[in-house]
Amino acid sequence: MQEETMTPPELMLENQLCFTIYACSREFTKLYQPHLDKIGLTYSQYLVMLVLWERRQCTVKELGEALFLDSGTLTPLLKRLQAAGLILRERSLQDERKVLISLTAQGLALQQDAMCIPGKMAEGTMLSPEEFVGLLGQFKDLLARVHESNISNSK
Amino acid sequence: MQEETMTPPELMLENQLCFTIYACSREFTKLYQPHLDKIGLTYSQYLVMLVLWERRQCTVKELGEALFLDSGTLTPLLKRLQAAGLILRERSLQDERKVLISLTAQGLALQQDAMCIPGKMAEGTMLSPEEFVGLLGQFKDLLARVHESNISNSK
DNA sequence: TTAAATTAAGTTGTGTACAATACAATATGA
DNA sequence: TCATATTGTATTGTACACAACTTAATTTAA
């Protein structure tokens, strides 16, 4: 008795690591959304601000390396942050290919309003500090592996 | 001696679980890209096809529930799959609000060409089967938690 | 049994992502 | 030194994501 063709387990949605991560990422964004709305940032813009709050100033390239994003994504995003009065964009005088991104006083001040967000997210995920640290370490390791694969594929 | 304002650890990029997952998701998509190019699918389209290869037929709403996507994302994506000749879209006769999505012969046949992809991805991530299963379980658990939070936030 | 509520898709507008390309500035080497 | 290659950013075009809204079909509840 011949069965109808069945999907092998490797092609089933519930066994896809990539899909679980992809869905997880989008659900996390939704968890941030209401809090980010209050300070007028999108999730991607928030990530850019995190980098700038740490470094005060960096180039578009450095932002891209930190966030795994290219100029095609960052340029319009940064223009919107500039239009919102949060950052400055100016050509480097030393190397005119580079564009230096820095915080305005308003952009710096916004960090205070963002302080409460990580706590709200911890509530949302209901992870203990130990679980959080464990997961972060494992996911960073996975990110490093996949990124490494992509690097070597592109050579 | 007053230090200059420093970023607290909770706001540092390297401590963000959400960012690690977000970056991981995009790096995974890049890992799939060259293989999906060969069969003419985008990553999101591949996920839709995974569901259809399993179920043969379902509504837009069911697809959305499986993939955590809404009709605003799915409708244009499905129209592109239809234009590519891989699926059919037809109103349900029982309930004309519903649109039934089903595979064409060509769409069904494409599963054969996709069979090799999971193996290629396993190479790319260099995860042992045990590591894979462990990570999948942890991500699924996290996804369930965050999704649950989002459900209760929207009430 | 209808008026009100709910449901399922589609539409519109904004904001990413990213490949491919363009271009100007800088670095390199014969 | 000057032609070539590389680098850093911007631009263009395609494809998501998703909120907000619209429309039509179906439920429901008074």
Side-chain angles (χ1 to χ4, degrees):
Chain A
M1 172 78 185
Q2 181 68 40
E3 290 253 328
E4 193 185 302
T5 313
M6 283 242 322
T7 293
E10 315 88 69
L11 278 185
M12 293 183 69
L13 186 69
E14 66 166 3
N15 296 329
Q16 304 300 314
L17 184 58
C18 63
F19 165 67
T20 310
I21 294 171
Y22 158 80
C24 209
S25 176
R26 286 184 295 112
E27 289 296 310
F28 255 113
T29 302
K30 283 182 203 164
L31 196 62
Y32 275 84
Q33 193 74 36
H35 306 289
L36 292 176
D37 283 347
K38 289 179 193 160
I39 60 175
L41 293 178
T42 67
Y43 181 69
S44 304
Q45 290 167 4
Y46 173 67
L47 293 179
V48 167
M49 293 304 286
L50 287 182
V51 176
L52 290 173
W53 287 328
E54 277 184 64
R55 303 193 192 177
R56 292 300 193 269
Q57 183 180 72
C58 63
T59 66
V60 173
K61 179 178 175 53
E62 287 164 349
L63 269 177
E65 285 169 351
L67 300 173
F68 298 79
L69 293 170
D70 71 4
S71 70
T73 302
L74 286 171
T75 296
L77 189 158
L78 293 169
K79 285 183 179 175
R80 282 187 281 269
L81 286 177
Q82 183 180 33
L86 299 175
I87 66 165
L88 296 177
R89 298 164 64 239
E90 38 199 357
R91 288 277 163 187
S92 164
L93 297 178
Q94 286 74 45
D95 183 343
E96 293 206 0
R97 291 171 303 180
K98 298 182 181 177
V99 170
L100 298 174
I101 308 297
S102 55
L103 289 168
T104 61
Q106 190 188 340
L108 182 58
L110 197 67
Q111 187 180 28
Q112 299 309 312
D113 303 325
M115 291 284 190
C116 63
I117 292 180
K120 300 280 178 55
M121 292 305 103
E123 290 174 31
T125 53
M126 298 173 291
L127 292 172
S128 70
E130 295 74 29
E131 288 175 311
F132 184 93
V133 170
L135 285 175
L136 182 59
Q138 285 186 288
F139 296 164
K140 277 190 165 185
D141 182 59
L142 181 60
L143 172 58
R145 288 189 194 210
V146 181
H147 185 58
E148 195 55 43
S149 266
N150 282 326
I151 298 287
S152 50
N153 284 349
S154 70
K155 283 193 297 206
Chain B
M1 172 82 183
Q2 181 67 39
E3 290 252 328
E4 192 185 301
T5 312
M6 283 241 325
T7 292
E10 316 89 67
L11 279 185
M12 293 183 71
L13 186 68
E14 64 165 4
N15 296 330
Q16 304 300 315
L17 185 59
C18 63
F19 165 67
T20 308
I21 294 171
Y22 159 80
C24 211
S25 175
R26 286 184 295 111
E27 289 295 311
F28 256 113
T29 302
K30 283 182 204 165
L31 197 61
Y32 275 85
Q33 193 75 36
H35 307 289
L36 292 176
D37 282 347
K38 290 177 192 161
I39 61 175
L41 294 177
T42 66
Y43 181 69
S44 303
Q45 290 168 3
Y46 173 67
L47 294 178
V48 167
M49 293 304 286
L50 287 182
V51 176
L52 291 172
W53 287 328
E54 277 184 63
R55 303 193 192 177
R56 292 299 193 272
Q57 185 181 72
C58 63
T59 65
V60 174
K61 179 181 173 54
E62 288 164 349
L63 268 176
E65 286 169 350
L67 299 173
F68 299 80
L69 293 170
D70 71 5
S71 69
T73 301
L74 286 172
T75 296
L77 188 158
L78 293 170
K79 285 182 178 175
R80 280 186 284 270
L81 286 177
Q82 183 180 34
L86 299 175
I87 66 165
L88 297 176
R89 298 164 64 240
E90 39 200 354
R91 287 277 163 190
S92 164
L93 297 177
Q94 286 74 44
D95 185 342
E96 294 207 0
R97 291 171 304 180
K98 298 182 181 178
V99 170
L100 298 174
I101 308 297
S102 55
L103 289 168
T104 62
Q106 190 189 342
L108 182 57
L110 196 67
Q111 188 181 27
Q112 299 309 311
D113 302 327
M115 291 284 189
C116 64
I117 292 179
K120 301 279 178 57
M121 291 306 103
E123 291 174 30
T125 54
M126 297 173 293
L127 292 171
S128 71
E130 295 74 28
E131 287 175 311
F132 183 92
V133 170
L135 282 172
L136 181 59
Q138 287 183 294
F139 270 117
K140 279 189 165 185
D141 181 61
L142 184 59
L143 172 58
R145 289 187 193 211
V146 181
H147 185 59
E148 196 54 44
S149 267
N150 282 327
I151 297 287
S152 51
N153 282 350
S154 70
K155 281 193 297 207

